[in-house]
Structures are given as structure tokens and as C-alpha cells.
Amino acid sequence: MNAIVPNPNELFLLPGQIWFGGGDIRVRTILGSCVAITFWHPERRIGGMCHYMLAEPRCGTDASDARYGSEAVAQLVEAMREAGTEPCEYEAKLFGGGRMFASASGRDGEHALQRRNIEAAHALVQACGAQVRGEHLGGDGHRQLLFDVADGDVWLRHWPLLGGFTRLRRSRD
């Protein structure tokens, strides 16, 4: 049996991780209510991605953790500057903030987490001066992303939330 060899030019970004660099690299991630932001420099062909879980830390929480959008973007901005570039030179794309579970109650506060994550994405990109070139935010379900750093393209696959599961029972002949 042959082993599956992962593509050496791809990496998978987990929640709370960031990546920045250049070359023939593709960065993948899967999002639910989390948000990913990609930054790409069209002249230098370098870029980065963050995958954050919450907009900002609560009181008493380690604020240097990239699970929070405010810190994840701050770390990417630092990497941009270390590369001799400024955030305003980058194109940004925003993804995620989806509702992952169906709810019958319809209360307004149900989706506060997703709304805060989405609002934070817009505010963080605006604050650093990058230009938003695309977004796929909110709604239901999860998303899979593939960010191609060589050309700045982001490929998206979206699975809307299904109404529920149906149990299939084994037939008894």
C-alpha cells in the first residue's frame, strides 16, 4: 500500500495560528465561526494569513495569543514591517464568521460571537490600512480556504448548514 505524501508546498493553518512568507506556498484552513484574513503584497508577492477564534481577549487573558483577532493581525503587521513593507501596501481578503448550529429560538444574541468576529475583521483591516479586495463572511456553515501566496488568489469552498441529520438504519432482511 502506498503512503500519501502531503504536498510540500502546502501547509495547514490551525485556529490560533498565523503564517507569513513568500514563494510557491499554499496555505489551507477550515473555518466555522472563526475568521481568517489573508494579506497579499502584489509587487513583492509575499503575504500571510491568520485564523482567529475570538475578536479580542477577555480581561485577565493572555493578549499575546493569536487565537484573538487583535493579536493575530498585530503579529502579521509586525511580520510585514520586518519584511520591509507597510500594511497599507497589502490587499486583504476576509472569510468565515459562519453560524455552525441551527437554532429554533431565533434570539438576537445567538450569533454575537460570529458578529463580533466579522466586525473585528473589518475594523482590524481598516486600522492597519490594508485594502479589502474580497470577502465571504457570515451566513451558515463552514468554509475551506486555499490561499496561493504566489499569485494572491484565494480558493473557497463553502458548505451551507444542513437542516439536521437523518439517521439511516441498517435494513433487516
Side-chain angles (χ1 to χ4, degrees):
M1 180 173 212
N2 293 333
I4 297 173
V5 178
N7 185 334
N9 294 338
E10 287 188 8
L11 61 93
F12 189 84
L13 205 62
L14 296 170
Q17 292 184 324
I18 68 163
W19 181 88
F20 185 87
D24 186 22
I25 300 291
R26 291 179 295 271
V27 185
R28 288 185 180 274
T29 199
I30 296 176
L31 302 165
S33 60
C34 295
V35 167
I37 304 174
T38 64
F39 291 93
W40 188 66
H41 195 291
E43 293 171 16
R44 299 267 311 272
R45 297 192 178 280
I46 58 175
M49 179 192 286
C50 65
H51 178 161
Y52 68 85
M53 300 167 65
L54 300 169
E56 55 191 36
R58 295 181 187 201
C59 292
T61 307
D62 180 11
S64 65
D65 192 330
R67 291 180 296 172
Y68 306 107
S70 54
E71 180 59 24
V73 171
Q75 289 179 21
L76 280 173
V77 166
E78 183 178 334
M80 292 174 200
R81 290 188 171 134
E82 287 176 2
T85 60
E86 288 298 319
C88 62
E89 300 169 10
Y90 286 77
E91 298 176 355
K93 296 177 183 169
L94 304 92
F95 305 93
R99 184 173 68 105
M100 295 307 299
F101 303 102
S103 174
S105 67
R107 292 190 310 261
D108 184 46
E110 284 179 31
H111 311 298
L113 170 68
Q114 292 85 359
R115 278 196 306 271
R116 282 192 306 269
N117 279 347
I118 291 168
E119 289 167 1
H122 284 286
L124 291 164
V125 170
Q126 181 179 6
C128 75
Q131 300 298 310
V132 175
R133 295 290 187 219
E135 63 180 63
H136 194 274
L137 295 162
D140 295 338
H142 67 278
R143 296 161 172 90
Q144 179 181 12
L145 300 180
L146 177 65
F147 172 38
D148 190 338
V149 179
D151 62 14
D153 287 343
V154 179
W155 298 87
L156 169 78
R157 180 178 287 167
H158 179 231
W159 287 273
L161 188 64
L162 300 176
F165 292 97
T166 302
R167 182 176 180 185
L168 299 176
R169 297 181 184 262
R170 181 180 72 214
S171 65
R172 301 186 196 272
D173 292 336

